[in-house]
Amino acid sequence: AAEGRHSLERAAEAERLRDTLGRRVDVLEAANRSARALGSSLDMEQAFGAFIREVRGLVPFDRTAIVLVDDNVARTIATAGRGADTVYPPGSIGPIDGSVLERVVAGEVVVRHDLAEEMFPEDRHLLELGLRSELIAPLVVGARPIGMLSLSRERVAAFTEDEVELVALLGRLVATAVQNIRSYEAERSTVEELRRLSALRADFVSLVSHELRSPMAAVIGAARTLQERWRSLSPEQREAFLALIGDETSRLAALIGDVLDTSRIEAGTFTYRFIDIDLSALVADVVGTAAVGQDEVHVRADVAEALPPVRGDAERLRQVLTNLVDNAVKYSPAGDEVAVRARRENGLVLIEVVDHGPGIPYDEQRLIFEKFGRAEIAGGSKPGTGLGLFIARSIAEAHGGTLDVRSGHTGSTFTLSLPMATALLSGC
């Protein structure tokens, strides 16, 4: 009889274990379905939409939300159920400090039996939706929490221990999916950037080939003409051919210089020699050189007052100003005027180069400061490599300054901003 009773007890225990094991298998299968839903798309919105549909059948909820942490800011990625579009909808952001996320990002699974206690600012919004209990699991990648998965119900103390364990598992699955999607998006962004740079380089090679070919052809043609017809040419004709060779050789030198400067900037070997500089004299010198070099566009300097010295490399800053003035002259109609203004403002010296040529479209104003970047300007772009403004901005930033542009349908203003030497000293 004792053995019979013992056998019945063991049979009952085996049945309970079988039922527990069956429930565990069901939970694991449901978790696998949720994992497959998360992996069904590399688009975060679609993946989380499929995941939430699976979770609804696995762990019933009245509201759920997935929140990620970026730079100490909480950003809602997905919501479903009550108030999905009104209370912390997807895309909304908020602080972590003082919220329940502060506990979750420490790696803690939080079970809120009654939200009426109002321990956190968000509790009031959930209570207004008729929700009374909440289960929150961290999204953990390795040992680092990156967000939370929350489920809310309208009943008090509505979550069981098994559900707590299951939601904690789902949190780890969501974290892995987020990491995979982010890695994919980073890879895709890198590929797109590489593709863009490859296209720019191809355009640059084509452009440089053209820019090299034209002056080289002119130099070769003029040199051969001088060689073959030197005796039959008049002195004026010889001077004209020699001047042509000089001009085209200068173009080649400038082109090669831009390419070499760009390579040095990228390699970090672009050198500077910092001294105190009189910008008034530098502006006058650049304007005078631009006026002597051409007579179609009037270039004038407008320096209202004595400028304080700046700490910088005079030749590099001359290179920046020369590039800005040359560009302004190049795009200005004959007979027009280019103004170079300089003034002090809030510890800075500002130098503006103003022209009245065709404007630069707003969506291309960032492009012109990139390597090989050239904007589509009304009337067509002028010859050039697209490196000058990239070099100019790099030099400005190396001096602790900035180089920006404002432009409308007509006219552009390039502003070089440099810190005064006294401001740098006080900053130290």
Side-chain angles (χ1 to χ4, degrees):
E3 286 297 325
R5 288 194 300 273
H6 184 58
S7 297
L8 290 174
E9 290 172 357
R10 295 191 63 183
E13 182 182 0
E15 189 171 353
R16 286 195 300 273
L17 290 174
R18 184 190 64 192
D19 292 342
T20 301
L21 182 60
R23 286 194 298 272
R24 289 279 183 175
V25 169
D26 291 340
V27 167
L28 287 175
E29 287 180 351
N32 284 331
R33 288 197 302 273
S34 300
R36 286 195 297 273
L38 285 170
S40 62
S41 174
L42 289 171
D43 178 83
M44 197 168 289
E45 184 176 344
Q46 293 180 3
F48 287 153
F51 168 74
I52 288 173
R53 286 192 293 272
E54 287 293 337
V55 170
R56 191 184 293 276
L58 179 61
V59 187
F61 59 81
D62 295 305
R63 174 186 167 87
T64 187
I66 298 172
V67 180
L68 298 184
V69 175
D70 291 308
D71 298 327
N72 206 35
V73 172
R75 181 164 58 93
T76 304
I77 299 300
T79 57
R82 295 184 186 179
D85 298 323
T86 56
V87 177
Y88 305 116
S92 59
I93 59 175
I96 294 177
D97 296 340
S99 72
V100 70
L101 248 179
E102 201 168 22
R103 290 174 57 183
V104 177
V105 295
E108 179 183 352
V109 176
V110 178
V111 182
R112 306 285 312 285
H113 294 296
D114 192 353
L115 297 177
E117 298 171 358
E118 294 197 36
M119 297 174 58
F120 304 101
E122 57 268 26
D123 292 350
R124 179 172 55 84
H125 299 292
L126 298 178
L127 286 168
E128 289 173 355
L129 295 174
L131 303 171
R132 292 298 299 272
S133 58
E134 187 177 30
L135 169 58
I136 308 162
L139 311 183
V140 182
V141 176
R144 181 173 62 91
I146 62 170
M148 72 176 190
L149 166 65
S150 71
L151 289 88
S152 306
R153 289 176 178 166
E154 64 179 10
R155 291 184 294 107
V156 174
F159 294 97
T160 66
E161 292 184 3
D162 289 341
E163 287 175 330
V164 172
E165 183 181 358
L166 175 56
V167 172
L169 171 61
L170 293 177
R172 289 192 289 271
L173 293 176
V174 171
T176 301
V178 168
Q179 192 74 355
N180 291 339
I181 292 172
R182 283 179 167 176
S183 299
Y184 166 75
E185 289 177 347
E187 292 274 348
R188 184 177 62 181
S189 177
T190 301
V191 168
E192 289 176 353
E193 180 64 13
L194 290 173
R195 186 181 292 115
R196 188 182 70 86
L197 289 175
S198 178
L200 284 175
R201 283 196 179 92
D203 293 342
F204 171 71
V205 170
S206 175
L207 182 64
V208 169
S209 299
H210 174 74
E211 291 292 316
L212 286 171
R213 189 181 299 114
S214 298
M216 285 179 63
V219 169
I220 292 170
R224 284 180 176 171
T225 300
L226 288 173
Q227 182 182 27
E228 296 169 359
R229 299 176 54 195
W230 178 266
R231 296 182 184 280
S232 62
L233 294 174
S234 67
E236 293 78 10
Q237 290 174 321
R238 293 172 189 167
E239 288 294 334
F241 279 113
L242 289 173
L244 175 63
I245 291 173
D247 291 342
E248 296 302 322
T249 303
S250 297
R251 279 184 60 192
L252 284 171
L255 172 63
I256 294 169
D258 283 350
V259 174
L260 291 176
D261 285 347
T262 300
S263 299
R264 293 189 187 107
I265 288 171
E266 290 186 320
T269 58
F270 201 58
T271 57
Y272 299 89
R273 181 174 174 269
F274 285 82
I275 58 173
D276 285 344
I277 301 171
D278 181 357
L279 278 182
S280 299
L282 184 61
V283 168
D285 189 20
V286 170
V287 169
T289 302
V292 170
Q294 53 82 40
D295 56 6
E296 291 187 349
V297 177
H298 176 59
V299 183
R300 67 176 177 87
D302 182 4
V303 182
E305 56 183 337
L307 297 177
V310 299
R311 193 76 180 165
D313 187 312
E315 290 307 311
R316 297 303 188 198
L317 292 178
R318 182 192 306 275
Q319 184 177 353
V320 174
L321 292 177
T322 299
N323 177 275
L324 297 179
V325 172
D326 286 349
N327 279 347
V329 169
K330 183 165 61 175
Y331 283 99
S332 294
D336 210 333
E337 181 181 80
V338 169
V340 182
R341 305 168 182 162
R343 68 181 191 278
R344 66 169 75 189
E345 183 179 293
N346 298 328
L348 300 172
V349 176
L350 304 180
I351 303 176
E352 297 178 335
V353 179
V354 184
D355 66 64
H356 304 285
I360 304 169
Y362 179 78
D363 56 353
E364 297 191 18
Q365 291 176 16
R366 180 185 61 83
L367 175 66
I368 61 175
F369 292 105
E370 296 183 359
K371 286 181 300 182
F372 324 129
R374 292 168 61 79
E376 293 295 329
I377 296 175
S381 297
K382 304 292 184 179
T385 60
L387 293 176
L389 289 175
F390 167 77
I391 296 169
R393 175 171 274 187
S394 299
I395 292 173
E397 291 174 349
H399 284 73
T402 59
L403 178 59
D404 298 297
V405 64
R406 299 192 313 275
S407 185
H409 295 293
T410 58
S412 300
T413 299
F414 284 84
T415 303
L416 172 65
S417 170
L418 297 169
M420 296 188 302
T422 53
L424 288 175
L425 289 174
S426 63
C428 294

